[in-house]
Amino acid sequence: MTAPMRIERDDLSRPQVLALLREHLDDMHARSPPGSVHALDLSGLRRPDISFWTVWDGATLLGCGALRELDPAHGEVKSMRTPKALRGRGAARAMLAHIVDTARARGYRRLSLETGAQAAFAPAHGLYQRFGFAFCGAFGDYADDPNSVFMTRVP
């Protein structure tokens, strides 16, 4: 019997994590025009208002995700990513459940996200909808952008 996936608070220093974040940023820049990429780089993920986690199966990195506190009642899902070669194992569901649970425990009354509008993002839209997220307008510092989809839910 194999050990279940585990989610860890991460300090963004392990080579596997850095490689996954590089894949994430490269992919976002390849899919979205300049000015429409809202993925955070390392310095952005290390800000004090961001909590960052990774999900593992043994020594194999299955994904990452982050939660940004916009204000004491509103959080934002950031940096959800699963390596292309390891998709379909449930890591994104596990990470999103962890983020939703953390938002609820923090007392957030709203949890929102921004993701791409292109067809390649449809699986992400579906995952978010299964977790109760609904499409909404721009929030926080975002502006309306035809290349972005905004979603929100009450944790």
Side-chain angles (χ1 to χ4, degrees), residues 28-60:
M28 295 303 98
H29 285 283
R31 293 182 186 277
S32 300
S36 292
V37 176
H38 303 289
L40 297 174
D41 61 13
L42 281 177
S43 64
L45 289 169
R46 288 184 171 136
R47 293 181 358 200
D49 61 340
I50 303 267
S51 299
F52 181 82
W53 299 276
T54 48
V55 59
W56 300 84
D57 179 3
T60 303

